[in-house]
Amino acid sequence: MGKKIKKEVEPPPKDVFDPLMIESKKAATVVLMLRSPEEDILAKACEAIYKFALKGEENKTTLLELGAVEPLTKLLTHEDKIVRRNATMIFGILASNNDVKKLLRELDVMNSVIAQLAPEEEVVIHEFASLCLANMSAEYTSKVQIFEHGGLEPLIRLLSSPDPDVKKNSMECIYNLVQDFQCRTTLQELNAIPPILDLLKSEYPVIQLLALKTLGVITNDKESRTMLRDNQGLDHLIKILETKELNDLHIEALAVIANCLEDMDTMVQIQQTGGLKKLLSFAENSTIPDIQKNAAKAITKAAYDPENRKLFHEQEVEKCLVALLGSENDGTKIAASQAISAMCENSGSKDFFNNQGIPQLIQLLKSDNEEVREAAALALANLTTCNPANANAAAEADGIDPLINVLSSKRDGAIANAATVLTNMAMQEPLRLNIQNHDIMHAIISPLRSANTVVQSKAALAVAATACDVEARTELRNSGGLEPLVELLRSKNDEVRKHASWAVMVCAGDELTANELCRLGALDILEEVNLSGTRKNKFSEAAYNKLLNNNLSLKYSQTGYLSSSNIINDGFYDYGRKNPGTKLLPLKELCLQEPSDLRAVLLINSKSDVSPPSSMEDKSDVGYGRSISSSSSLRRSSKEKTKKNSYHFSAGFGSPIEDKSEPASGRNTVLSKSATKEKGWRKSRGKKEEEKVKEEEEVMAVPKFVGEGSSDKEWCPPSDPDFSMYVYEVTKSILSITNIKEQIEVLAKYVAEKMGGKITKEKIPDFSWELHISELKFQLKSNVIPIGYVKKGIFYHRALLFKALADRIGIGCSLVRGEYGRAWNEVMLQNESRKGVLGGLPAPEVYVVDLMFHPGGLMKLRSREADLYRFL
C-alpha cells in the first residue's frame, strides 16, 4: 500500500470576508444592522427588535429615538419574504405608540402596510399588518390615509380569514373607520354587512363585541338598517338576547336593535315575529341595569315615529316603562323617563300614565341626581301639555312643591322643564291658586335672570300663566321680579322676546304694576321693538297697548286716540302731542314747573274737599264760588230734543238749533262763596270797577296747589271744584234720559255751554281763548290747568271735557286728536233706518259729536278724511 498523502485545504479567496459571529447586547448596534444588505442579518435584526419592542412602551420609545423607524419602513417592501414579515411584525407592535404613529404618518407608509393585506401574503403578515392599521386608525388623519389608499376593501375581505387574530384586528380597524360618514357609505357599497353578521357566530366574545359595536354605528344610516333586515340580522340579535350565556353582548345588541326600530318596516317585522314582545319582557325582567337602560333607550329612539308609538302602545310598553322607573339605577331611571317623554305623543299612552307613572315621576323630582330630576321634569312637561287631567294628577301627587324646588336646580334643562309643567298646571284656576300659595313668584325670579334662552323663555311663560290676579302681580313686584322680566324684552331671541312680552301684558293688568313696568322702561323698550319689522310680534304690540291703557295720559299724548273702553279717571292729563324720543313728565313735575309759553296741560280731577249740594235748588250754598244755572239749561236742552229720526245736517253740518239759554261770558267765573250774594251789587257798578272786583275774586278763588311750601310727601294734584260740579250735574240730569242719542246731544250742549257756548267758524279768530288760557296760567302759576277752570275752550278743550263727563255717566265715546288744535269725539249709534243682517238689530255706525258750531249735532262718518275736513 502506498503512503497516504494529506490533501491540502485551499485557502479562501483573498477578496472574501471571513464569517463573523457577533453577539450584540445593545439595541443601537442592532438598529445599525437594519441598513445591512445581507438578508440574514436583516431578518435576525428585525427579529431581535420585535422581541425588544414587545417588552414595553419604554423600549418602543428607545427604538424611535435610535432612528429605527425609518430604515424599517424600507424593509416593508423588501424582496425577501422573511425580512418583510419580520418588519411588518415590528410595525404591528410599534404602531401602538403615539409618537411612532405620528412619524409613520409623516413618512407616508400607509400604502406599504395596506399592500401586506394582499391575499398571497402569509397569515402572520395579515395579522400584524391589520394590527398596525387598527392601531393607526384610532386617529382621524390616519383614517383618512387608510381610506384614500383603499384599505377598506382588503380589510372587509380579511373578515373571512381563518385566523381569529386577523378577524379581530380587521374588525377593530373597520369599527374605527366607520365613525366617518364617508367610510360608512363605502362600506354599504362593498356589502360588508353579511361578513360582519357572520362574526356574531364567532366563538370569541371580543370579535362578537366588535362586530356588534360596528353594527351599532353603521345602522344609524337607513340603507344599512335595510341591508341588516334583508340579511336576517334581527334574528341574530334576538338570539343573542335570548342566550343568557351571552349577557356580556346584550347591551351592544340592544343598541343595534334600537337603531333598527327607527324604521317602520323593521318595527313591523320584529312585531310580527314576536321579537318586540320578547324585547319588552327582556327589558322588564333583566337584572342588569345597563341592559334595562339600553332597552329603554331603544324604545325612546323608536317612539319618535308615530306608527312605532302605536305598535308600542298595543304591546303595553307603558307597563314596562313604569316598572323601569322603580329601578335603583339612576341611568335606567333617566332612560325610562326619556322613553315616557317620547311615548307622550300617543294620546293613549298619555292617558295610561295618568294613574301609573306620574306619581313615580314626582318622586324622581326629589332625587339627589340632577340628571334624574331633569329627565323626570321633561316627562312631566310632555305629559301635562294640553292635558288638564294629567296636570291635575301631578298636583294630586303633591308635585307643586318639588317642581318649584327644581326651579333652583343647577341644570338648565331641569329648570325649563319644571317651569313648563307649572305653566301647564296654571292653566286651571284652582291649580294656579295652589301654585301661587307655594311662593312661585319668588322662585321664578332666578330663572328669569338665567343666561340660557330656553330657561328665560319658559320662565317668562310661567309668569304669564301665573300672574293672572292682583295678589300674584303684587308679590312679583315686591319680590323684584319685574326688573329681569323687563330686561328680557331686549332679548335677541324671538321666543324669549315673545314670552316676555306676553308676561308684561299680563302683569300690566293692574295700575300699580303697569306703572312700575313703565318706570323700569318697559314702554320705551316695547316701543323700540315694535318699530322693528323683524323684532316685533303680536305680543309685543299687545303688551305695549296694555301698558298704554294703564297710562292713558301717555297713550293719548303718544297715539292721539282714546277708545270708548279707555275710561278717563282722576289724574288724567292732556299734555299735547309728545315728540318722538322724548319722555312724558309725570303730573307732579309738570305742576311744580313755572308757567311758560308751552301748551297748557289740561287736568281731570273731580276729587274735592267740597261736597256737592243736596238740592240743586239751593244755589247759594254750593261752595264753588259761582251761581249755578246748569241744571236748568240741561232740562231745557232735554225738552228741546227733536222727535225726527233724521239728523239735522245740511252740507255736512247740523242746521242751527235755537238755543234759548244765554251763552256764557267766556270769562273765568270762579268766585268766592259770597259771589252769589253780591251778584246784584256788581251789576250796579261801572264796567271798570266790576272787572276789578272780578279779578280780585278770581285770585281769591284760585286754590293753592298742595305742595307749594309743604313737604314732598304732602303733594297731591290740584283740585277742580267746577269739574266736580259738572260731574254731579250731568249725573243727575242726563242719566234719567233713556235714549242714548238724546243723552249725547244734551251732554254736548252742556259741554259747549261751559266752554263758551256756540261759535261759528267766522268768529273763531275773535274768540280769544288763548288769552283766557294765558290768564289762567298766570293765576295758577303753572302750566297745568284743571279742565273745570277753562271757560273759553275750543275743539280739544271741549272734546276732552265731553269724554271725561261721558265716561262718568256711561256714554261710550272715543277721543281723537287732530292737527292744529283739533280734537273730536266719536260715538257708535244704531241707525234705525237701516235693517241689520237677517232682519236683526241695525248695524252700528260712527258719528262725530259737534261741540262747537251746532252743539249736539251728529255727523255720520262715511269718508273719514273728507267728512272731518268739512266738519272741522
Side-chain angles (χ1 to χ4, degrees):
M1 290 179 66
K3 191 178 180 179
K4 291 183 179 180
I5 302 173
K6 286 185 177 182
K7 188 175 181 180
E8 295 182 358
V9 178
E10 295 182 3
K14 294 181 179 180
D15 58 346
V16 176
F17 187 81
D18 294 335
L20 178 65
M21 301 300 293
I22 298 176
E23 184 176 336
S24 177
K25 295 184 179 181
K26 296 289 183 181
T29 304
V30 179
V31 170
L32 292 174
M33 295 170 65
L34 293 174
R35 302 184 186 273
S36 172
E38 297 183 51
E39 295 173 354
D40 288 342
I41 292 175
L42 290 174
K44 291 178 180 179
C46 287
E47 185 178 354
I49 290 174
Y50 168 75
K51 292 178 180 179
F52 180 72
L54 203 58
K55 294 178 179 180
E57 287 296 320
E58 292 182 359
N59 292 352
K60 297 175 187 177
T61 304
T62 300
L63 290 172
L64 177 66
E65 293 172 350
L66 292 173
V69 175
E70 189 171 357
L72 281 170
T73 58
K74 296 177 181 178
L75 299 182
L76 288 172
T77 55
H78 200 277
E79 294 178 356
D80 186 79
K81 186 174 289 188
I82 297 176
V83 173
R84 194 166 65 249
R85 181 194 65 192
N86 291 350
T88 303
M89 291 171 64
I90 293 173
F91 279 117
I93 302 300
L94 286 180
S96 64
N97 184 279
N98 291 329
D99 294 328
V100 174
K101 281 190 278 192
K102 183 178 179 182
L103 181 58
L104 289 176
R105 287 196 301 270
E106 294 174 356
L107 296 173
D108 195 18
V109 298
M110 206 64 70
N111 198 34
S112 301
V113 177
I114 292 173
Q116 306 309 310
L117 303 179
E120 61 271 14
E121 297 290 350
E122 297 179 9
V123 172
V124 175
I125 293 179
H126 286 169
E127 176 186 346
F128 285 95
S130 60
L131 177 61
C132 177
L133 292 176
N135 288 328
M136 293 287 290
S137 63
E139 296 182 357
Y140 176 75
T141 307
S142 298
K143 289 180 191 177
V144 174
Q145 290 182 350
I146 295 172
F147 179 76
E148 290 178 348
H149 286 89
L152 197 56
E153 185 174 1
L155 285 168
I156 293 172
R157 186 179 65 249
L158 290 179
L159 293 179
S160 303
S161 171
D163 186 82
D165 289 322
V166 175
K167 291 179 179 179
K168 180 260 179 188
N169 295 336
S170 300
M171 193 72 258
E172 183 177 357
C173 185
I174 291 172
Y175 170 70
N176 291 334
L177 290 175
V178 295
Q179 306 299 321
D180 181 70
F181 173 76
Q182 192 173 5
C183 291
R184 291 202 297 272
T185 305
T186 306
L187 199 72
Q188 296 163 11
E189 297 172 357
L190 295 173
N191 196 28
I193 287 184
I196 295 175
L197 288 173
D198 287 339
L199 294 183
L200 295 179
K201 305 172 186 176
S202 173
E203 59 186 54
Y204 297 97
V206 65
I207 295 177
Q208 292 175 309
L209 188 62
L210 283 169
L212 285 171
K213 283 186 174 181
T214 304
L215 290 172
V217 175
I218 63 178
T219 51
N220 284 313
D221 302 326
K222 186 175 182 179
E223 293 78 8
S224 295
R225 292 196 293 267
T226 303
M227 293 178 67
L228 181 71
R229 186 180 68 245
D230 294 343
N231 286 276
Q232 287 75 47
L234 289 172
D235 295 337
H236 292 293
L237 297 170
I238 295 295
K239 286 179 182 178
I240 290 175
L241 293 179
E242 292 175 338
T243 307
K244 293 182 179 180
E245 292 76 12
L246 298 178
N247 58 7
D248 56 332
L249 302 177
H250 288 171
I251 295 174
E252 300 300 334
L254 281 171
V256 181
I257 292 175
N259 291 338
C260 294
L261 291 180
E262 293 184 37
D263 286 336
M264 186 59 197
D265 293 337
T266 306
M267 185 72 171
V268 171
Q269 180 182 348
I270 195 173
Q271 193 262 346
Q272 290 175 346
T273 57
L276 186 58
K277 198 167 186 178
K278 292 179 183 178
L279 174 64
L280 297 178
S281 175
F282 173 77
E284 187 174 353
N285 299 323
S286 175
T287 57
I288 302 175
D290 284 343
I291 291 177
Q292 291 181 321
K293 178 177 69 175
N294 281 275
K297 286 183 177 179
I299 295 170
T300 303
K301 273 191 172 184
Y304 287 121
D305 183 271
E307 295 298 326
N308 288 350
R309 288 195 296 270
K310 185 178 178 181
L311 290 175
F312 273 137
H313 180 60
E314 292 173 357
Q315 297 293 324
E316 297 183 328
V317 71
E318 298 87 359
K319 292 182 180 179
C320 173
L321 295 177
V322 171
L324 293 180
L325 287 178
S327 170
E328 295 181 0
N329 181 268
D330 286 344
T332 303
K333 293 175 184 177
I334 294 169
S337 299
Q338 292 171 342
I340 290 174
S341 300
M343 286 299 299
C344 283
E345 296 295 325
N346 181 279
S347 59
S349 298
K350 220 170 189 178
D351 295 338
F352 177 90
F353 291 121
N354 180 275
N355 297 320
Q356 303 179 53
I358 288 181
Q360 291 89 331
L361 290 168
I362 294 297
Q363 290 303 312
L364 294 185
L365 292 177
K366 304 173 184 178
S367 170
D368 295 331
N369 188 314
E370 292 281 355
E371 292 186 37
V372 172
R373 297 168 74 189
E374 179 179 355
L378 174 62
L380 287 168
N382 290 339
L383 282 170
T384 56
T385 299
C386 301
N387 195 309
N390 284 349
N392 271 318
E396 291 171 0
D398 297 326
I400 294 177
D401 196 48
L403 282 167
I404 291 179
N405 290 336
V406 173
L407 293 178
S408 58
S409 170
K410 296 178 181 178
R411 294 183 67 88
D412 290 335
I415 299 172
N417 295 333
T420 301
V421 180
L422 291 168
T423 300
N424 295 337
M425 295 170 72
M427 297 300 176
Q428 302 174 60
E429 186 175 359
L431 298 186
R432 182 170 68 248
L433 296 175
N434 199 354
I435 292 171
Q436 291 168 358
N437 292 334
H438 284 77
D439 201 20
I440 176 67
M441 290 308 172
H442 181 75
I444 203 68
I445 294 176
S446 179
L448 287 174
R449 298 183 187 275
S450 171
N452 185 289
T453 54
V454 176
V455 174
Q456 292 173 347
S457 173
K458 301 300 182 184
L461 193 58
V463 172
T466 54
C468 297
D469 49 52
V470 176
E471 291 79 8
R473 292 192 286 267
T474 302
E475 184 181 350
L476 181 66
R477 185 175 70 247
N478 294 338
S479 300
L482 295 182
E483 185 175 357
L485 182 62
V486 170
E487 284 302 313
L488 294 184
L489 295 174
R490 304 180 189 272
S491 175
K492 295 181 180 179
N493 183 282
D494 293 342
E495 199 73 8
V496 173
R497 204 166 51 250
K498 181 177 77 172
H499 289 167
S501 299
W502 191 348
V504 167
M505 180 184 71
V506 172
C507 290
D510 65 90
E511 188 174 354
L512 288 176
T513 308
N515 290 338
E516 180 65 12
L517 287 168
C518 291
R519 188 188 69 79
L520 293 171
L523 203 58
D524 297 332
I525 298 172
L526 287 169
E527 181 180 7
E528 179 186 348
V529 168
N530 290 334
L531 289 175
S532 169
T534 56
R535 297 175 63 202
K536 73 175 181 180
N537 54 71
K538 296 295 184 183
F539 289 99
S540 66
E541 293 174 345
Y544 180 72
N545 291 328
K546 190 69 173 289
L547 284 174
L548 284 180
N549 287 339
N550 280 280
N551 192 338
L552 295 184
S553 299
L554 178 60
K555 179 177 183 179
Y556 188 51
S557 178
Q558 192 154 308
T559 66
Y561 179 78
L562 295 181
S563 68
S564 58
S565 61
N566 297 140
I567 306 300
I568 293 179
N569 293 314
D570 292 335
F572 174 88
Y573 59 99
D574 177 12
Y575 177 82
R577 194 185 305 276
K578 182 175 76 73
N579 293 326
T582 61
K583 288 190 175 182
L584 180 65
L585 295 176
L587 179 60
K588 177 180 176 181
E589 291 187 29
L590 293 172
C591 285
L592 298 178
Q593 287 180 350
E594 293 294 325
S596 66
D597 57 353
L598 296 176
R599 177 192 185 278
V601 179
L602 301 177
L603 172 65
I604 302 296
N605 185 20
S606 63
K607 295 178 181 178
S608 174
D609 294 335
V610 182
S611 301
S614 58
S615 173
M616 292 300 293
E617 303 299 326
D618 186 6
K619 303 184 183 73
S620 60
D621 295 327
V622 172
Y624 286 84
R626 59 189 180 86
S627 59
I628 304 297
S629 60
S630 307
S631 181
S632 59
S633 66
L634 282 169
R635 285 194 293 270
R636 287 199 306 272
S637 298
S638 177
K639 292 177 181 179
E640 290 168 3
K641 291 297 163 192
T642 177
K643 295 181 180 179
K644 296 181 181 179
N645 290 330
S646 60
Y647 300 140
H648 298 280
F649 285 95
S650 60
F653 298 94
S655 58
I657 299 176
E658 186 176 354
D659 190 351
K660 298 181 181 179
S661 62
E662 295 180 5
S665 64
R667 293 283 295 169
N668 184 6
T669 59
V670 181
L671 308 174
S672 64
K673 285 187 178 182
S674 60
T676 54
K677 298 180 181 179
E678 297 175 352
K679 186 175 180 181
W681 176 76
R682 285 203 308 272
K683 288 183 178 180
S684 63
R685 295 276 188 165
K687 186 176 181 181
K688 292 183 180 180
E689 190 174 351
E690 181 181 349
E691 290 179 355
K692 182 178 179 181
V693 172
K694 281 186 179 181
E695 290 176 1
E696 291 176 353
E697 292 169 345
E698 286 169 352
V699 173
M700 290 173 60
V702 173
K704 183 177 180 180
F705 279 30
V706 179
E708 293 181 11
S710 61
S711 64
D712 183 68
K713 293 182 180 179
E714 297 176 357
W715 186 91
C716 64
S719 60
D720 189 353
D722 283 24
F723 180 69
S724 300
M725 181 55 68
Y726 294 170
V727 173
Y728 175 78
E729 291 175 351
V730 299
T731 301
K732 184 173 182 180
S733 302
I734 295 181
L735 282 181
S736 59
I737 303 173
T738 58
N739 185 283
I740 183 65
K741 178 174 174 287
E742 289 185 11
Q743 287 183 333
I744 293 170
E745 292 173 353
V746 173
L747 180 59
K749 289 184 178 181
Y750 179 84
V751 169
E753 178 185 342
K754 298 305 177 186
M755 288 286 179
K758 172 182 174 182
I759 305 171
T760 61
K761 285 187 177 181
E762 295 76 14
K763 292 184 178 180
I764 289 180
D766 302 327
F767 191 48
S768 67
W769 63 272
E770 296 96 335
L771 177 61
H772 172 60
I773 298 298
S774 298
E775 289 175 350
L776 290 175
K777 284 185 182 181
F778 176 76
Q779 293 170 10
L780 298 173
K781 297 180 181 179
S782 173
N783 274 347
V784 179
I785 301 176
I787 192 67
Y789 285 65
V790 179
K791 306 306 175 185
K792 278 191 173 184
I794 59 166
F795 299 97
Y796 72 91
H797 303 101
R798 300 183 182 208
L800 175 60
L801 180 58
F802 184 89
K803 168 70 172 169
L805 293 174
D807 287 346
R808 302 300 172 106
I809 60 175
I811 296 178
C813 75
S814 61
L815 176 61
V816 187
R817 189 196 307 281
E819 301 292 340
Y820 308 110
R822 263 56 172 179
W824 60 91
N825 304 102
E826 296 178 359
V827 295
M828 297 284 288
L829 290 175
Q830 292 177 348
N831 192 337
E832 299 295 339
S833 62
R834 296 182 61 182
K835 295 292 183 181
V837 179
L838 301 177
L841 291 174
E845 296 175 332
V846 181
Y847 295 85
V848 175
V849 182
D850 190 348
L851 301 172
M852 287 282 288
F853 311 129
H854 305 287
L858 297 172
M859 184 189 72
K860 179 178 165 184
L861 280 182
R862 295 182 179 85
S863 172
R864 178 175 292 273
E865 292 185 3
D867 288 342
L868 288 175
Y869 176 77
R870 289 184 293 124
F871 183 73
L872 301 174

